[in-house]
Amino acid sequence: MGSFQFYKPKGVEDLLKMKAELGERGLILAGGSNLLVYIRNGIINEGTFLDVKNLKPLKGIDTSNGKITIGAGETIREILESAKLREKIPFFPDSMKEFANPLIRSKATIGGNAADASPAADTAPPLLVLDTETVIGSHRGERVIPIKEFFKGPKKTALKPDEVLLRFQFSVPEAGKGVFLKFGLRNGTAVSVTSLAAWLALDGGKAVDIRIALGGVAPTPVRAINAESALKGQKLNEESILTLSEEVEKDLRPISDVRGSTEYRKDLTVELLRRALRKLSGTEAAL
Amino acid sequence: MHEYKKSFSITVRVNGNEYKDRVPSHMTLLQFLKERLHFLGTKEGCSIGECGACTVIMDGKAVTSCLVLAVEADGSSIRTIEGEAKNGELTPLQKAFIEHGAVQCGFCTPGMIMSAQNLLDRNPHPSREDIVEAISGNLCRCTGYEQIIQAVQSVANGATKQNNLVGVKSVGGGGDTEGGQPGGKVSEHNSKSKTGGTL
């Protein structure tokens, strides 16, 4: 076990000052569900915990002014149980049902899950389909970047060593609904083999707003732009869903690993997309 | 330059009693409970939040204590398996675990009971789905979960001890009544220690 210190910042300014001073050695401790595992496994063996768990400015869910703002320090459980979010966009809290298990959900935060930048991060596909913006802070000030530019590679984000992820913001789409589907090897706790979030608005049976995001099939969570453009404007029925869903293969750069081969992930993603589209277009019952 | 501390004085309430200690920054709540306070009922399984063996209730929420730092627990209230039975009397849930054969090797039991009790505290009448969801972070490699689910359900339904004892053994506890497994009567004695966290 290496050498660790612990510090509880008094506010955001204090936190950002500490982060500027410590850089990579400043270990943001929110839920700790990744950080403590990295320490246990020897991946991180020194640094100063910056405990942001109860730091007010990183908490809170605001749904006023037509925009949704979620503090990076909100736990998955708080999001799942948020009545305000459920009223405005049930898709978002519902998608958190798939996240690990109740023990982890009580601790893990949405900011921690995103900043950990696992290609299979379960908050990523829902954040991606909503065109979420991330608000990043440092002693130099705040900057806002789209979530798709936030993820840079496996375990890599746009965060500089002196920066901290503060909050997420997105607008509720004008029409439509969303769904998040996850395929893991175990019901509780499993890392996703493949996950998929989709948002669909239909007009006269045609997909007028279609957004698809994928987890676990590329170096970062990604938007499936090929599948989106193939589906946009199309009438959705069982036949078109069956064939057009195959377009999603062009969006994949899957790896083979202990959880599944490249081929398996491809087939799985196509199937997840079909299921999502059936569900969102209401054609599921006809099967 | 700030001075960062390497060790901290903490005060934690465990099962209603207050404990003060000085702990290194990286000590987990699990290590603190077992190594400093000698609450040995809470089990260490994977140490990375995958198995749930170390589940305790922290300020009303079930958490894996391997993923909580002891310093984070400063000022908090913890419930461990040792605090469940009062004056030697097991809780209805602990009794139900024994009656339903929900305890075999016993390693997952303390964590399983804390997760299930946390559910029952929030929702006294959970559905089967609620129960399955509530224990989804707790791995059991012996029972296949069915007996555990039945045990929690029996408490939720307010079923009495005696009524269950007869019915359940023929369903879930085959090992005891049919002599198919070693242990026989001894297993009930073992189960009591395991559900109480005294082994």
Side-chain angles (χ1 to χ4, degrees):
Chain A
M1 191 64 73
S3 163
F4 291 95
Q5 293 88 45
F6 181 89
Y7 182 74
K8 208 170 210 164
K10 291 160 191 73
V12 163
E13 238 176 82
D14 193 23
L15 166 68
L16 297 177
K17 207 174 124 230
M18 290 299 111
K19 194 66 176 132
E21 195 174 301
L22 294 164
E24 308 261 0
R25 285 180 44 89
L27 309 170
I28 304 291
L29 176 66
S33 56
N34 288 319
L35 186 54
L36 267 57
V37 174
Y38 295 146
I39 290 168
R40 170 85 195 180
N41 292 343
I43 295 165
I44 296 175
N45 46 41
E46 58 166 7
T48 298
F49 296 114
L50 297 173
D51 184 359
V52 300
K53 198 175 317 81
N54 296 312
L55 208 57
K56 275 262 159 59
L58 267 61
K59 302 290 285 188
I61 295 171
D62 182 36
T63 59
S64 53
N65 304 323
K67 220 171 193 180
I68 310 274
T69 306
I70 301 175
E74 284 291 302
T75 65
I76 302 303
R77 177 174 173 171
E78 285 162 341
I79 294 167
L80 180 57
E81 292 176 355
S82 164
K84 276 194 276 185
L85 273 180
R86 187 156 298 282
E87 186 200 327
K88 296 281 181 188
I89 182 160
F91 155 66
F92 199 71
D94 278 346
S95 63
M96 301 295 151
K97 284 181 190 162
E98 302 293 329
F99 192 101
N101 61 60
L103 301 172
I104 304 294
R105 286 200 292 266
S106 290
K107 291 222 74 206
T109 62
I110 184 167
N113 186 248
D116 185 53
S118 160
D122 279 338
T123 62
L127 287 169
L128 277 162
V129 292
L130 292 168
D131 291 322
T132 304
E133 293 175 326
T134 59
V135 182
I136 293 168
S138 74
H139 66 294
R140 292 167 279 130
E142 286 187 2
R143 65 185 179 116
V144 179
I145 60 169
I147 186 91
K148 63 176 199 277
E149 289 168 28
F150 180 80
F151 298 117
K152 293 291 186 196
K155 306 282 169 187
K156 287 201 181 76
T157 68
L159 289 173
K160 301 196 172 77
D162 64 352
E163 287 182 324
V164 178
L165 180 53
L166 299 178
R167 58 188 179 273
F168 302 89
Q169 52 194 38
F170 58 82
S171 304
V172 178
E174 278 172 24
K177 53 187 174 174
V179 68
F180 178 61
L181 301 175
K182 164 175 173 173
F183 187 87
L185 297 181
R186 172 185 160 199
N187 266 343
T189 322
V191 174
S192 294
V193 177
T194 295
S195 61
L196 180 146
W199 185 272
L200 173 69
L202 290 170
D203 189 4
K206 283 183 180 164
V208 287
D209 185 4
I210 173 75
R211 314 173 194 186
I212 301 157
L214 311 167
V217 291
T220 66
V222 288
R223 279 285 285 265
I225 47 175
N226 288 294
E228 286 178 6
S229 66
L231 285 155
K232 181 133 193 175
Q234 298 294 323
K235 221 174 172 69
L236 291 190
N237 50 42
E238 182 54 22
E239 200 186 331
S240 65
I241 287 172
L242 266 181
T243 48
L244 292 174
S245 293
E246 289 177 9
E247 290 295 312
V248 79
E249 289 200 13
K250 294 179 189 158
D251 294 299
L252 310 180
R253 284 181 290 153
I255 54 165
S256 276
D257 71 3
V258 62
R259 285 180 284 274
S261 67
T262 300
E263 281 307 307
Y264 182 58
R265 282 191 157 89
K266 275 189 181 174
D267 289 351
L268 211 52
T269 310
V270 171
E271 182 54 28
L272 284 183
L273 180 55
R274 285 173 182 154
R275 288 184 191 180
L277 293 173
R278 282 176 195 135
K279 208 174 175 73
L280 292 174
S281 62
T283 59
E284 191 179 37
L287 286 177
Chain B
M1 186 77 180
H2 275 252
E3 196 184 313
Y4 306 107
K5 292 184 188 168
K6 290 196 176 186
S7 71
F8 268 76
S9 291
I10 60 168
T11 305
V12 182
R13 284 191 88 77
V14 184
N15 303 328
N17 299 315
E18 202 171 273
Y19 298 88
K20 286 179 195 288
D21 204 347
R22 198 164 181 87
V23 296
S25 304
H26 61 269
M27 176 177 263
T28 64
L29 174 60
L30 174 64
Q31 290 166 332
F32 177 67
L33 288 170
K34 290 178 82 78
E35 294 165 19
R36 293 288 179 90
L37 305 186
H38 305 292
F39 285 111
L40 303 180
T42 304
K43 297 292 180 269
E44 177 168 21
C46 67
S47 307
I48 54 169
E50 298 265 350
C51 78
C54 66
T55 303
V56 300
I57 301 176
M58 179 175 175
D59 293 331
K61 289 174 185 163
V63 296
T64 44
S65 59
C66 70
L67 294 184
V68 181
L69 289 175
V71 282
E72 288 182 76
D74 184 26
S76 68
S77 241
I78 309 289
R79 262 170 77 188
T80 70
I81 189 70
E82 287 89 346
E84 294 305 283
K86 300 279 186 296
N87 305 319
E89 175 82 5
L90 295 180
T91 64
L93 182 63
Q94 287 172 314
K95 287 179 190 166
F97 264 61
I98 296 170
E99 288 159 17
H100 288 254
V103 180
Q104 288 185 29
C105 91
F107 198 81
C108 76
T109 310
M112 199 63 91
I113 285 184
M114 298 320 282
S115 277
Q117 189 61 55
N118 191 227
L119 168 71
L120 292 169
D121 290 346
R122 282 180 288 120
N123 176 5
H125 302 290
S127 66
R128 185 186 164 89
E129 287 69 35
D130 294 333
I131 297 168
V132 170
E133 171 65 24
I135 61 166
S136 63
N138 297 82
L139 284 180
C140 172
R141 301 285 81 161
C142 304
T143 65
Y145 301 101
E146 192 53 39
Q147 293 94 325
I148 294 172
I149 295 164
Q150 286 172 7
V152 183
Q153 264 176 329
S154 77
V155 176
N157 297 338
T160 65
K161 184 181 175 184
Q162 270 67 30
N163 286 347
N164 269 328
L165 204 55
V166 183
V168 169
K169 286 222 166 164
S170 58
V171 180
D176 277 358
T177 47
E178 287 151 32
Q181 281 180 6
K185 288 216 165 196
V186 181
S187 71
E188 179 145 325
H189 168 74
N190 268 337
S191 297
K192 278 183 184 147
S193 321
K194 286 166 181 168
T195 50
T198 52
L199 269 192

